[in-house]
Amino acid sequence: MNDKQSAGVTVRTRRSPYGGNYLDDTAIEIIAGQITRCPRRSALFDFDGTLSLIREGWQGVMIPMMVNILLPYARPGETEESIRRLVTDFVTRLTGKQTIYQMIELARQIEQRGGTPKDPIEYKWQYLDLLWEHIRARVEDLKAGRTKPVDLLVPGSLGILQALQERGVVMYLASGTDLPYVMDEAEALGLMPYFGDGERVFGALDDYKKFSKAMVIDDIIKRHNLHGDELLGFGDGYVEIENVRAAGGLPVGVPSDEKYRTGINEWKRRRLIEAGAAIITPDFREYESLVAYIWGES
């Protein structure tokens, strides 16, 4: 156990087994050595896996589909398992970007093996059809009231959104999922009021070059005349954490266990730290402690 003095406030912490420090009596891990603790004016949230659990298991749809597509083009010595590792690597590396980028990489891998791929958009449509079969019942049950929104949200999501809203933080939602799906699912989960009733919700576009999380972050900074450390970012993917860090903001990694809705996904945690996460929180159950720490109140 040790005490840290920050912004005139003594912060009690204990060492984590991973090299960081846990805030006392919490599972919130402070990774960065020095964090500016001050009020934040804007916050960017990723959607899938950070707030929404509707698409939990999407990797289990995308990766097998890609392995089956790529397997006929296997090079000598390549096995189904080695192709699965390859696909898993680029799918996870590109998580947080628009889905089309994963399909572009699939097409590139086919070309490298002497094949002639389809247009990446066709692979994307194929994936979306398969994914819809995976999540159809969740969406239908949610809209029909058979499932409560809280059951398909990362625990504590509504709490942290409410806490930030009460502090006057302008919040944005940005997802690599296509915008119409993000809007529909965010509405069903009751999240729209926190994001300007949809005015501050962004997602993948047919013209994919017109959207990226980095572009959203740049727009937020310019629109609100922010200094970098006035921006707060939450995500469970490499891309949004890297983008917020590059902009000088405070990136909070949320390596949620989407399947069991408790504990931490260790693989996500390692990737988020590699991307530059300054803080790690398994979910938002301890949002009061998290917000108080960021604001320098505890």
Side-chain angles (χ1 to χ4, degrees):
M1 188 81 65
N2 60 77
D3 293 349
K4 288 188 175 182
Q5 192 75 20
S6 179
V9 179
T10 298
V11 182
R12 293 180 61 80
T13 64
R14 67 190 191 282
R15 293 294 288 175
S16 80
Y18 313 106
N21 288 287
Y22 288 124
L23 291 186
D24 198 22
D25 297 323
T26 77
I28 299 167
E29 189 179 3
I30 311 304
I31 303 298
Q34 295 292 326
I35 294 175
T36 301
R37 302 178 64 210
C38 63
R40 313 286 161 159
R41 293 170 54 200
S42 289
L44 176 74
F45 282 84
D46 173 52
F47 186 54
D48 296 308
T50 301
L51 294 174
S52 173
L53 296 174
I54 289 175
R55 296 182 172 230
E56 181 276 320
W58 66 267
Q59 299 97 328
V61 175
M62 182 183 289
I63 291 171
M65 183 199 89
M66 289 185 164
V67 170
N68 290 336
I69 291 171
L70 195 54
L71 195 56
Y73 304 98
R75 294 168 174 150
E78 282 190 315
T79 65
E80 182 173 349
E81 182 55 33
S82 67
I83 289 176
R84 184 177 303 277
R85 288 196 299 270
L86 171 74
V87 170
T88 300
D89 179 71
F90 74 70
V91 165
T92 51
R93 173 169 47 84
L94 295 169
T95 294
K97 297 191 77 171
Q98 298 181 67
T99 303
I100 192 66
Y101 285 98
Q102 289 153 325
M103 304 306 158
I104 290 171
E105 180 61 23
L106 173 62
R108 191 178 75 85
Q109 292 291 336
I110 293 171
E111 286 182 337
Q112 284 187 343
R113 289 161 176 77
T116 302
K118 298 177 182 178
D119 188 305
I121 196 67
E122 294 189 44
Y123 295 127
K124 178 181 171 180
W125 291 334
Q126 180 180 344
Y127 161 69
L128 290 177
D129 286 343
L130 292 172
L131 181 62
W132 177 242
E133 292 306 311
H134 178 70
I135 68 171
R136 179 200 297 268
R138 296 176 189 171
V139 175
E140 291 177 349
D141 287 349
L142 181 62
K143 291 183 175 181
R146 293 185 292 270
T147 297
K148 297 178 180 178
V150 70
D151 294 328
L152 287 172
L153 285 167
V154 169
S157 291
L158 295 178
I160 194 165
L161 292 171
Q162 183 66 33
L164 294 180
Q165 187 177 69
E166 289 173 355
R167 290 164 182 263
V169 178
V170 181
M171 291 177 283
Y172 291 78
L173 187 64
S175 174
T177 298
D178 284 30
L179 181 58
Y181 297 115
V182 178
M183 297 285 283
D184 184 57
E185 293 166 25
E187 177 70 34
L189 290 168
L191 300 182
M192 285 300 202
Y194 299 104
F195 301 102
D197 291 325
E199 291 182 4
R200 300 192 299 273
V201 176
F202 299 88
L205 304 171
D206 289 339
D207 186 350
Y208 66 91
K209 293 182 180 180
K210 290 186 177 180
F211 165 79
S212 73
K213 289 179 180 177
M215 291 167 65
V216 174
I217 290 169
D218 186 58
D219 182 64
I220 293 171
I221 290 172
K222 290 178 179 176
R223 180 174 307 214
H224 299 286
N225 192 27
L226 300 181
H227 298 291
D229 60 11
E230 293 178 314
L231 174 68
L232 184 60
F234 298 91
D236 76 323
Y238 196 98
V239 171
E240 57 267 14
I241 295 299
E242 185 178 49
N243 290 162
V244 171
R245 178 187 58 79
L250 179 63
V252 180
V254 189
S256 57
D257 186 320
E258 298 177 47
K259 183 175 183 180
Y260 297 106
R261 300 184 73 241
T262 188
I264 198 165
N265 181 307
E266 289 293 347
W267 185 90
K268 278 189 187 181
R269 180 195 167 278
R270 289 193 298 272
R271 290 285 289 169
L272 294 173
I273 292 173
E274 288 172 6
I279 298 174
I280 293 289
T281 182
D283 49 43
F284 300 113
R285 284 183 171 92
E286 297 173 316
Y287 71 87
E288 292 174 322
S289 296
L290 176 62
V291 172
Y293 175 78
I294 292 171
W295 258 250
E297 299 168 350
S298 65

